[in-house]
């Protein structure tokens, strides 16, 4: 009886621990995410803490996205006005938008 | 004694099991929609909703309202069963046009805005802006004679409003209305009201740089709007402003323009000099309504700093940030710049 109690207790604790772990790790997904959308549809999701390059193949042209040292910005665009390049780095308050190519780059804060 | 100990333990464990699940069930999720078909710019809605069904309902309201105001204030196209600014312009110099209550309300407000901004934000400037629009598209300066001729047809007093019959008459056949400096802000307010009435408690609207936010985020933090020095000079300003239940609009020379012999020609045309001014590289206004922030940022952009400061002081709870072409920054007292 006493032994069974302990087994029961241990297994309940184990399940609780697993559930807690799953809850915190899976739901949190901490870290900021760079979200690229073309004409409103999600095109790519990239972690801000991983240096990378992405050539966005949009409807009317291309935009080159760079993620470097925790900053994301567009370095090249096929459009004539280059406003997206001039906008600079993406922040939570400011998305980078390329109107001719219908591209938006936004920053999603991790929890 | 032992039994109750295990009972309490079991209770604690089951509660701790439920905790993450409970917060998960109530968790509000962030959703974003972007459209590119309206007001010649982008339109983004970011909101928090408890389910994707709720989001879809709100998104369809967003899209249909966006469509509605885009059509109503469009000066280039006519739509079936819609009397819009195009209709009013097409009837210039001929007859009174019966318009919807909403269009009448918009034009009345715009005439009032012309008065309080001393004509710097004017709905009647269409004849001049259309000359510049052509110039900006072809990257060539407009002919001075054509510009001077167009300037004879921007008199606000040639808009006759009949509030009893809800009609608008343009008495000058060569004049035309242009909602470019007002339409997005007006639409942002109306769309915001529709979303709020539909029960959306927390959202941020961005109509081509006209931001309007309602409520706070689920974690209690405010929606933020950003102002950055477009010159990107060393140590330049990068300001984040609480815009929950407020609106932020920025007018800048870095949009839709071209450069010729070292001068930037952009889309904000001063009604006095008939050309784009380059005192500032951008001016931002923060206040309650998006219509007002949109209208004022345009006006302030072409005015001297002193005139702009006087105008902004006359508007309740309005703040402004002027960024000069050389990088100098001036703000109203309610704003603390952080560099």
């Amino acid at each position: 009886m006493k032994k069974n109690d302990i087994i029961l207790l241990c297994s309940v604790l184990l399940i609780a621990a697993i559930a807690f772990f799953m809850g915190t790790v899976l739901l949190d997904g901490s870290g900021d995410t760079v979200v690229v959308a073309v004409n409103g549809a999600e095109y790519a999701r990239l972690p801000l803490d991983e240096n990378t390059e992405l050539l966005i193949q949009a409807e009317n042209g291309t935009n080159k996205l760079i993620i470097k040292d925790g900053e994301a910005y567009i370095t090249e665009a096929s459009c004539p006005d280059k406003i997206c390049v001039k906008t600079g780095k993406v922040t939570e308050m400011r998305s980078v938008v390329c109107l001719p190519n219908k591209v938006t780059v936004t920053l999603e804060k991790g929890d | 004694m032992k039994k109750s100990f295990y009972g309490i333990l079991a209770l604690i464990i089951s509660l701790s099991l439920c905790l993450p699940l409970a917060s998960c069930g109530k968790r509000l999720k962030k959703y974003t929609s972007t459209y590119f078909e309206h007001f010649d710019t982008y339109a983004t809605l970011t909101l928090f909703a408890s389910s994707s069904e709720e989001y879809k309902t709100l998104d369809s309201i967003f899209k249909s309202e966006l469509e509605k105001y885009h059509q109503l204030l469009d000066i280039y196209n006519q739509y079936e069963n819609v009397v819009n600014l195009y209709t009013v312009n097409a009837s210039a110099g001929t007859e009174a046009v019966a318009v919807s209550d909403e269009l009448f309300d918009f034009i009345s407000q715009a005439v009032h805005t012309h008065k309080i901004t001393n004509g710097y934000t004017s709905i009647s400037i269409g004849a001049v802006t259309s000359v510049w629009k052509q110039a900006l598209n072809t990257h060539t300066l407009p002919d001075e004679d054509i510009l001077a001729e167009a300037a004879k047809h921007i008199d606000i007093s040639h808009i006759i409003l009949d509030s009893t019959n809800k009609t608008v008459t343009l008495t000058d056949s060569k004049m035309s209305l242009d909602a470019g400096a007002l339409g997005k802000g007006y639409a942002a307010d109306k769309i915001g009201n529709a979303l709020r009435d539909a029960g959306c408690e927390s959202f941020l609207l961005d109509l081509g740089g006209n931001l309007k936010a309602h409520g706070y985020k689920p974690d209690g933090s405010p929606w933020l709007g950003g102002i950055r020095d477009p010159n990107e000079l060393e140590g330049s300003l990068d300001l984040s402003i609480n815009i929950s239940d407020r609106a932020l609009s920025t007018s800048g020379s870095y949009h839709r323009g071209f450069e010729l012999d070292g001068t930037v020609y952009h889309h904000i045309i001063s009604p006095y000099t008939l050309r784009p001014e380059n005192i500032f590289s951008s001016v931002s206004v923060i206040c309650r309504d998006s219509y007002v922030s949109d209208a004022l940022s345009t006006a302030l952009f072409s005015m001297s700093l002193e005139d702009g400061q006087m105008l902004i002081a006359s508007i309740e709870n309005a703040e402004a940030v002027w960024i000069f072409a050389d990088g100098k920054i001036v703000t109203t007292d309610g704003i603390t710049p952080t560099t």
Side-chain angles (χ1 to χ4, degrees):
Chain A
M1 186 58 182
K2 215 178 179 187
K3 202 177 172 185
N4 281 347
D5 278 349
I6 292 166
I7 292 171
L8 180 69
L9 186 66
C10 286
S11 42
V12 169
L13 277 174
L14 188 69
I15 292 167
I18 291 170
F20 185 75
F21 177 77
M22 300 265 279
T24 49
V25 171
L26 292 185
L27 291 178
D28 250 16
S30 60
D32 299 345
T33 309
V34 179
V35 182
V36 180
V38 176
N39 200 10
E42 194 168 296
Y43 179 89
R45 297 178 76 87
L46 304 161
L48 187 64
D49 54 10
E50 269 176 43
N51 289 356
T52 183
E53 276 186 35
L54 175 72
L55 188 68
I56 304 160
Q57 306 272 4
E59 300 205 338
N60 307 314
T62 57
N63 302 68
K64 190 175 179 185
L65 173 75
I66 302 275
I67 301 178
K68 195 166 175 258
D69 304 331
E71 292 186 344
Y73 43 90
I74 302 271
T75 55
E76 285 169 38
S78 60
C79 59
D81 57 15
K82 314 272 189 245
I83 287 169
C84 58
V85 179
K86 289 179 206 161
T87 306
K89 69 170 199 254
V90 185
T91 67
E92 199 195 357
M93 286 111 43
R94 185 179 18 245
S95 309
V96 172
V97 181
C98 174
L99 280 183
N101 295 351
K102 302 188 178 182
V103 169
T104 53
V105 183
T106 50
L107 189 64
E108 250 180 48
K109 280 279 175 198
D111 292 317
Chain B
M1 186 63 185
K2 237 180 192 173
K3 255 189 182 163
S4 66
F5 169 71
Y6 283 131
I8 290 166
L9 196 64
L11 192 69
I12 292 169
I13 291 167
S14 41
L15 276 178
S16 66
L17 263 170
C18 290
L19 209 68
L21 294 174
S23 66
C24 171
K26 271 192 170 176
R27 207 184 171 94
L28 288 165
K29 247 193 101 184
K30 190 170 161 184
Y31 295 90
T32 303
S33 310
T34 304
Y35 297 103
F36 288 91
E37 292 82 26
H38 314 91
F39 295 103
D40 200 18
T41 187
Y42 65 94
T44 299
L45 168 65
T46 308
L47 59 81
F48 285 93
S50 55
S51 66
S52 65
E53 286 72 34
E54 190 190 347
Y55 156 68
K56 277 176 194 157
T57 308
L58 294 168
D59 179 46
S60 70
I61 292 172
F62 174 47
K63 198 177 180 187
S64 65
E65 291 287 298
L66 202 52
E67 191 71 35
K68 177 183 163 187
Y69 290 103
H70 168 76
Q71 292 190 358
L72 193 67
L73 305 177
D74 194 340
I75 59 171
Y76 303 108
N77 304 289
Q78 52 186 329
Y79 303 91
E80 220 172 301
N81 304 321
V82 178
V83 173
N84 64 1
L85 288 182
Y86 178 92
T87 323
V88 174
N89 285 343
S91 311
T94 58
E95 55 185 355
V97 180
V99 299
S100 64
D101 286 359
E102 225 160 10
L103 189 55
F104 190 86
D105 171 60
F106 173 79
I107 297 172
S108 310
Q109 269 198 59
V111 170
H112 179 67
T113 299
H114 176 103
K115 284 175 191 147
I116 64 163
T117 63
N118 238 328
Y120 276 100
T121 299
S122 178
I123 190 173
S124 60
I125 199 177
V128 167
T129 48
S130 67
V131 172
W132 273 102
K133 193 145 283 180
Q134 179 76 18
L136 294 180
N137 283 338
T138 55
H139 288 201
T140 49
L141 291 181
D143 185 278
E144 288 296 334
D145 294 340
I146 293 175
L147 206 53
E149 169 61 25
K152 292 177 188 162
H153 305 285
I154 60 171
D155 190 339
I156 193 86
S157 68
H158 290 150
I159 302 175
I160 309 296
L161 291 161
D162 178 345
S163 58
T164 315
N165 299 309
K166 292 281 155 76
T167 64
V168 183
T169 315
L170 305 184
T171 56
D172 177 346
S173 64
K174 287 181 179 169
M175 84 183 293
S176 66
L177 305 183
D178 181 355
L182 304 160
K184 291 189 286 291
Y186 184 82
D189 285 334
K190 295 287 180 176
I191 295 166
N193 289 346
L195 291 169
R196 205 188 52 205
D197 292 347
C200 190
E201 287 172 3
S202 176
F203 63 81
L204 173 69
L205 270 169
D206 181 353
L207 298 197
N210 293 284
L211 304 178
K212 185 179 178 75
H214 174 60
Y216 283 73
K217 295 182 194 174
D219 65 2
S221 66
W223 290 101
L224 298 175
I227 300 172
R228 179 187 292 178
D229 185 351
N231 300 313
E232 293 281 350
L233 295 175
E234 195 71 27
S236 65
L237 158 120
D238 203 345
L239 205 58
S240 63
I241 293 171
N242 173 350
I243 53 162
S244 276
D245 299 318
R246 297 217 285 174
L248 163 67
S249 296
T250 299
S251 291
S253 59
Y254 48 93
H255 277 305
R256 300 156 197 254
F258 68 97
E259 211 174 313
L260 195 72
D261 301 328
T263 305
V264 178
Y265 296 93
H266 53 83
H267 71 294
I268 308 166
I269 310 301
S270 164
Y272 293 99
T273 61
L274 304 179
R275 53 189 64 252
E277 291 298 323
N278 284 300
I279 315 166
F280 310 106
S281 53
S282 84
V283 179
S284 300
V285 172
I286 303 106
C287 60
R288 198 192 61 194
D289 296 321
S290 187
Y291 173 84
V292 178
S293 63
D294 194 7
L296 289 183
S297 68
T298 305
L300 262 51
F301 189 88
S302 300
M303 282 182 180
S304 71
L305 174 67
E306 293 71 25
D307 287 351
Q309 284 171 322
M310 263 162 56
L311 174 57
I312 208 82
S314 71
I315 311 290
E316 205 182 341
N317 291 325
E319 305 286 347
V321 178
W322 292 264
I323 302 179
F324 283 77
D326 65 4
K328 192 177 105 180
I329 294 155
V330 176
T331 74
T332 48
D333 293 340
I335 287 173
T336 333
T338 46
T339 49

